[in-house]
Amino acid sequence: QVQLVESGGGLVQAGGSLRLSCAASGRIFSSYAMGWFRQAPGKDREFVAVITRDGGGTRYAEAAKGRFTISRDNTRNTVYLQMNSLKPEDTAAYYCAADMTPYLSYYSTADNDYDYWGQGTQVTVSS
């Protein structure tokens, strides 16, 4: 069992930055690839970014490329999402998720592959 708690959301003006954190407790954090997803009102949940177990590989949604950076600190059991140049269309609830895998270089962009989810943190970008 893994518990995930997101933090760092808030209200920011367009062009601003936020850093989301997701703290994990429970089973060994380094056993999980970690992803960030988001869901805007009236829309389906969508993939944002993912990082492999060892942090050596990452992948981003097109909307996040060049603006968002995912990272992790396995000594602190935490994954981060640095978001720069924020746009109003980035407004959503952001969720971190854990995908248990035996493979160091594995990652998935499909939300149904993930085993555990946090409760989310709201990001609102004003124009």
Side-chain angles (χ1 to χ4, degrees):
Q1 190 76 10
V2 173
Q3 294 79 42
L4 302 173
V5 179
E6 301 97 336
S7 61
L11 174 64
V12 63
Q13 289 188 330
S17 299
L18 283 174
R19 187 195 197 201
L20 306 183
S21 299
C22 173
S25 60
R27 299 193 63 174
I28 300 173
F29 181 67
S30 59
S31 298
Y32 297 86
M34 297 298 297
W36 284 97
F37 293 78
R38 68 186 183 185
Q39 187 168 20
K43 295 188 176 181
D44 292 335
R45 184 165 57 192
E46 64 176 4
F47 165 75
V48 176
V50 61
I51 189 166
T52 56
R53 284 176 51 188
D54 62 354
T58 59
R59 184 169 177 181
Y60 297 90
E62 284 298 320
K65 284 181 181 178
R67 299 187 300 127
F68 295 3
T69 302
I70 188 171
S71 62
R72 67 189 294 163
D73 184 344
N74 286 350
T75 66
R76 296 178 182 270
N77 289 359
T78 303
V79 62
Y80 306 96
L81 185 68
Q82 177 67 44
M83 304 187 294
N84 299 328
S85 302
L86 283 161
K87 305 174 181 180
E89 51 264 43
D90 294 319
T91 295
Y94 282 72
Y95 299 89
C96 70
D99 180 6
M100 189 170 186
T101 173
Y103 306 111
L104 288 175
S105 60
Y106 165 88
Y107 62 73
S108 173
T109 63
D111 59 359
N112 59 2
D113 284 336
Y114 285 76
D115 304 294
Y116 301 101
W117 292 82
Q119 293 185 324
T121 186
Q122 180 66 35
V123 172
T124 303
V125 184
S126 63
S127 57

